Amino acid sequence: MAETVSAASPLMDDRLRSGPYPELSWHAVIVGWFLGAIIAVSIGYASLKLGFSIEGSELAAILGFGILRGMLRRRSIVENNVAQTVASAVNGASSGMMFSVPAIFILGYGNEFNPVLLTFGCIAGAFLGIAFIIPLRKQMIDFERLTYPGGVAVATILKSPGAGVRKAQLLIGAALVSGLVHYFSQANGVSNWGMGAMLGLPEYTNITWYLSLLTVGVAFIAGRGGVAFIIGGFVVYFLIAPLLAATGMLPTTEAGEIIRDPEQLRGLLFRPIGIGMLIGGAMTGVVLALPLIISAIRSMQSAAKLEAAISRDEMPIKLLYFAIAGAAVVLCVIAVLSVESVGLLRGLAMAVLGTLWIWMSGIILSEAIGRTNWSPLSGMTLIGITLLILVTSGLESSVDRIVAAVVVGAATCVAMSQATDLMLDLKTGYLVGATPRKQQLGQFLGAWLGPLVVIMLVFVLHEAYGLGSPELPAPQGQALAATIEGILGGDVPVAKYVAGAFLGALLSAVQGGLGVTVGLGFYLPFNIVLTYSLGTLTRIVADRQMGAEWSESVGIPIAAGLIVGEALVGVGFAVQAVLGS
Amino acid sequence: MSGRGYALLIIGFLAGTFVAALDPDSTNWRWFVPAVVIAAIGVQQIKQAQASAARNSTRLTTDREDLEQALSNIVKNLTELRGAGDTVPPFEMRFEIDRLFRGDLMRFADARDTLAQLYGLQAYADIVSEFAAGERYINRVWSASADGYLDEVSTYLDKAQVQFEHALRRLEAVQAH
């Protein structure tokens, strides 16, 4: 326990302390569990109601700050960072499970699966996701120095009390503005501004602005890293869609009507190509970065042999092998037990496929979120479940196929969510000087709790309202359920995935991560890309006109405030929805 | 060469995307494959141009000087800061860090890719590992200073110095070869 230095010390300042700097403490873990459970319930409910989930790290950082500093009178930025890591690890299950598990209920098979098994599967998945991503910390954060805008924003929050009054004022001022804008846009139901329609432009050009200062803030922090993402979006809606229209090649409905609605075009044409680009781009990136990853591991091993300080900062690599092997075995057991007809060999195949997909998609998601802050989690889950349904194709009962695939798929989805969450938190940790090993332990300590909380929430809400009902539409679950039905009917856009993979691979061959970032522009709705481009442009102009130092010391606190304000109001709406129901 | 490579890549990529987006249910591979081949030729030309640019001695020399100067400055400033003892109050240490180190840390980070081109991936991994650990330790000093933890400030100043000295020694060693 730290001691306050007495007034008799030479420095004569009773704010000074001696002794160890609190980091991975029980205070941090318990506050993290408490906050994580609350955030998981709130955000989990909101995602069932609204169809999207909110990153919980900013909220966890601010609430943890209030409890640890305000109530418990503890003063340690790195302890706050661990509390926020634990809390967001608990919350990682909400985004992971709320996309996948409700689909089973919506398809009408809520009584056909074992919830205890599913929960253990998700816990195993969470551990696998963490264990797989830890060795890549050095590659993505130390070597590539990916931006992770959300991680930078959280670090700015954690450092704000020590950063000087001006930076704190900038952060709080921007948060107020952003929160007010989001409040009014949500309260009045105006999330988007259809500028294209006002100007009389064709519908497929999709000039609709997402009214979100959070998006502007994220883009500002990402800086030039986001340019390729914007290019992807503009290629789709300003070039390909008009070309298709000009050549009379826009797709038609079954009734023969031409589809001009940009969302329909995205779902039919651009999103599958984007998913393919993410996969092809990431695979190429891994192949090209493999020598560097090997060098990183060698460098860690040589540091460990010398007992260097940096080797004590990292989790022992043997422990990670053990975690990966153990979690993969548990995943195999879950797959075998998911439904009676799966059998040992098929269960083993599902576990191997699930494990490989967790590794692959963990890299894709960490790259995407590291460069732009947007995570294509739903797309990666979709591919994972498609692959798992293919493995279960020998089963006679479609109920068994769906249940087995979704149970293992939920575990992979939680794994992916944990991987990206940990990378974001590790970036924050890097910026505040936390010890990676302690953060990683914090992530393991939080990851088991989320699936327990979320599965209980799912059952309670299903009993109360029925998932998929008008009261609780669970849009993500409905989308997955519809896709699963499409897959069973043979409706998988494999050709688009493959074509996209080639295109993504070519881009990533030129520059690491390019295929993933451009693919994300194809994948995400253009209204986000448009608003994002404002933030990127602002950063480029600010860097040129005011200098990089201004962007760092003034621009980033403002951008972090924009993220925090909107996130907090978003969570406020979620809490209001919970309390009001 | 590089301009033509980029032009081919852009043409091939856009043509490939257009062909892939033509039909919701299938892809016309007969048109798609030539588009991808054009893009691939572009990639190959860009790679060749990048390799020759990497051998451009002016840029490499500038980057090499930047790397060495930035690391030397960091080590020198750390030595002075540690030697300053009680003259820099612990709460002020974070402002000194922002003043003394941020520029050089950014300068090294911006030039780091040259390490791989000049000395190979293993040297890059070893030097950047040491540098990143040192930067993280400096960031920890900043946090501990803001929170007023005296011992942590001095412990991590020492650790940061060790890491940056290791990085500098490794850099000098590979340069000597």
Side-chain angles (χ1 to χ4, degrees):
Chain A
M1 177 64 78
E3 294 166 6
T4 304
V5 174
S6 75
S9 81
L11 292 151
M12 298 292 285
D13 190 334
D14 60 4
R15 293 171 302 162
L16 292 175
R17 286 152 191 249
S18 63
Y21 192 31
E23 194 167 5
L24 180 63
S25 64
W26 279 111
H27 293 85
V29 174
I30 292 167
V31 168
W33 281 338
F34 172 70
L35 289 178
I38 291 173
I39 295 170
V41 169
S42 310
I43 293 181
Y45 180 82
S47 71
L48 289 178
K49 193 96 184 163
L50 309 169
F52 60 88
S53 57
I54 305 157
E55 230 299 307
S57 288
E58 291 93 353
L59 183 66
I62 290 172
L63 294 177
F65 193 87
I67 295 176
L68 285 168
R69 289 197 176 234
M71 291 164 69
L72 302 176
R73 300 277 164 213
R74 295 179 71 79
R75 215 168 62 193
S76 165
I77 291 171
V78 289
E79 189 181 42
N80 263 29
N81 181 218
V82 170
Q84 163 251 317
T85 303
V86 175
S88 62
V90 178
N91 179 53
S94 74
S95 53
M97 289 170 80
M98 286 311 184
F99 181 70
S100 48
V101 179
I104 304 185
F105 289 91
I106 290 164
L107 289 165
Y109 307 134
N111 297 320
E112 309 287 337
F113 77 98
N114 181 344
V116 176
L117 199 69
L118 177 87
T119 309
F120 274 103
C122 288
I123 294 172
F127 285 3
L128 252 179
I130 298 169
F132 267 141
I133 212 70
I134 284 174
L136 291 171
R137 183 197 74 80
K138 199 169 262 300
Q139 162 69 14
M140 291 186 176
I141 293 176
D142 288 2
F143 293 171
E144 281 198 61
R145 297 175 79 90
L146 296 185
T147 320
Y148 292 98
V152 174
V154 173
T156 311
I157 296 166
L158 294 178
K159 288 169 77 174
S160 59
V165 178
R166 183 155 179 260
K167 282 189 183 174
Q169 283 172 339
L170 290 172
L171 192 143
I172 293 168
L176 283 173
V177 172
S178 168
L180 276 172
V181 168
H182 192 56
Y183 175 79
F184 284 114
S185 76
Q186 292 298 300
N188 297 311
V190 193
S191 300
N192 292 289
W193 175 45
M195 191 176 98
M198 270 180 65
L199 297 173
L201 293 170
E203 200 180 358
Y204 50 76
T205 53
N206 201 5
I207 306 180
T208 299
W209 299 84
Y210 176 43
L211 300 177
S212 157
L213 290 176
L214 176 145
T215 309
V216 176
V218 161
F220 185 90
I221 296 176
R224 287 176 186 276
V227 171
F229 168 54
I230 298 165
I231 289 172
F234 277 84
V235 161
V236 168
Y237 296 101
F238 279 24
L239 200 71
I240 303 296
L243 264 177
L244 288 172
T247 51
M249 303 294 262
L250 282 172
T252 53
T253 62
E254 281 178 13
E257 288 170 14
I258 294 172
I259 298 172
R260 290 193 176 84
D261 173 47
E263 269 310 288
Q264 277 184 287
L265 289 175
R266 187 172 78 92
L268 271 175
L269 306 176
F270 308 130
R271 194 166 178 263
I273 297 174
I275 291 176
M277 286 174 72
L278 292 169
I279 297 168
M283 283 172 73
T284 308
V286 169
V287 170
L288 293 177
L290 208 56
L292 195 55
I293 295 170
I294 293 166
S295 302
I297 292 169
R298 274 197 201 133
S299 145
M300 282 162 77
Q301 285 167 341
S302 65
K305 274 181 202 154
L306 294 168
E307 287 280 312
I310 48 170
S311 73
R312 288 190 290 274
D313 291 348
E314 306 284 349
M315 292 270 280
I317 201 93
K318 280 182 188 161
L319 193 68
L320 296 180
Y321 295 151
F322 177 75
I324 290 168
V329 169
V330 175
L331 203 60
C332 181
V333 173
I334 304 290
V336 171
L337 297 178
S338 59
V339 286
E340 215 171 291
S341 56
V342 163
L344 185 62
L345 274 181
R346 191 171 277 115
L348 196 63
M350 288 176 80
V352 170
L353 191 68
T355 305
L356 287 174
W357 187 243
I358 288 170
W359 181 68
M360 193 68 232
S361 54
I363 293 171
I364 295 170
L365 295 170
S366 298
E367 280 262 356
I369 211 161
R371 292 178 194 276
T372 66
N373 212 48
W374 302 113
S375 155
L377 180 67
S378 58
M380 294 304 108
T381 306
L382 214 67
I383 299 275
I385 288 181
T386 307
L387 293 172
L388 289 165
I389 287 180
L390 291 177
V391 177
T392 58
S393 60
L395 300 180
E396 278 182 20
S397 156
S398 64
V399 180
D400 283 4
R401 288 182 70 186
I402 292 169
V403 170
V406 176
V407 167
V408 180
T412 60
C413 195
V414 171
M416 298 175 216
S417 168
Q418 289 291 339
T420 51
D421 175 64
L422 177 58
M423 273 304 194
L424 267 177
D425 291 338
L426 286 170
K427 177 69 182 189
T428 305
Y430 186 90
L431 297 172
V432 300
T435 313
R437 185 169 53 89
K438 293 186 177 173
Q439 277 191 279
Q440 290 151 1
L441 283 171
Q443 190 82 17
F444 277 117
L445 286 171
W448 64 272
L449 181 58
L452 292 175
V453 172
V454 174
I455 198 75
M456 281 193 278
L457 178 71
V458 165
F459 269 88
V460 167
L461 290 175
H462 185 63
E463 278 296 308
Y465 307 107
L467 294 176
S469 66
E471 290 83 13
L472 216 57
Q476 292 168 314
Q478 291 212 28
L480 183 61
T483 310
I484 289 172
E485 282 174 334
I487 295 166
L488 291 174
D491 184 18
V492 183
V494 177
K496 297 254 172 302
Y497 293 154
V498 174
F502 276 113
L503 296 169
L506 283 167
L507 293 181
S508 281
V510 173
Q511 190 192 322
L514 190 62
V516 173
T517 328
V518 174
L520 208 56
F522 277 56
Y523 172 89
L524 283 173
F526 191 51
N527 59 349
I528 292 175
V529 181
L530 268 181
T531 310
Y532 192 94
S533 64
L534 288 182
T536 308
L537 193 67
T538 310
R539 177 63 183 268
I540 291 169
V541 171
D543 280 351
R544 281 209 185 137
Q545 302 290 321
M546 319 288 283
E549 179 135 0
W550 184 92
S551 293
E552 288 285 328
S553 60
V554 178
I556 287 183
I558 293 175
L562 296 180
I563 296 171
V564 171
E566 184 170 322
L568 289 183
V569 171
V571 173
F573 276 106
V575 171
Q576 191 190 26
V578 173
L579 296 176
S581 55
Chain B
M1 185 76 158
S2 175
R4 201 171 59 199
Y6 277 108
L8 287 173
L9 173 65
I10 291 168
I11 291 166
F13 174 77
L14 292 177
T17 307
F18 180 70
V19 171
L22 278 176
D23 190 316
D25 302 318
S26 62
T27 295
N28 186 334
W29 299 108
R30 208 179 292 174
W31 286 104
F32 182 80
V33 172
V36 166
V37 169
I38 290 170
I41 293 168
V43 171
Q44 199 248 344
Q45 294 196 354
I46 293 167
K47 286 289 183 195
Q48 273 181 359
Q50 281 175 347
S52 84
R55 288 189 293 271
N56 177 325
S57 60
T58 319
R59 209 201 91 201
L60 289 185
T61 309
T62 315
D63 278 359
R64 201 165 81 163
E65 281 168 10
D66 272 354
L67 289 165
E68 201 174 350
Q69 272 178 13
L71 268 185
S72 303
N73 286 348
I74 292 168
V75 170
K76 183 173 89 42
N77 287 334
L78 266 171
T79 311
E80 283 172 10
L81 199 59
R82 287 168 68 226
D86 291 349
T87 57
V88 180
F91 281 118
E92 295 298 313
M93 200 61 90
R94 62 188 191 274
F95 300 119
E96 288 298 292
I97 284 171
D98 288 339
R99 190 176 67 83
L100 293 173
F101 297 104
R102 294 293 173 215
D104 283 318
L105 289 170
M106 218 181 282
R107 199 167 150 207
F108 182 91
D110 288 344
R112 72 191 187 285
D113 287 343
T114 296
L115 284 172
Q117 285 156 17
L118 283 172
Y119 313 116
L121 284 177
Q122 192 57 53
Y124 173 92
D126 292 340
I127 295 167
V128 177
S129 278
E130 302 278 8
F131 170 83
E135 189 182 24
R136 188 159 47 76
Y137 292 159
I138 290 245
N139 292 339
R140 192 179 180 91
V141 174
W142 193 102
S143 298
S145 158
D147 290 329
Y149 277 82
L150 278 172
D151 300 343
E152 195 76 2
V153 168
S154 68
T155 304
Y156 273 84
L157 272 178
D158 294 349
K159 282 189 167 193
Q161 172 120 32
V162 171
Q163 290 310 140
F164 284 117
E165 278 173 354
H166 280 178
L168 186 58
R169 274 208 298 272
R170 280 185 190 271
L171 181 64
E172 286 166 351
V174 291
Q175 281 175 347
H177 274 131

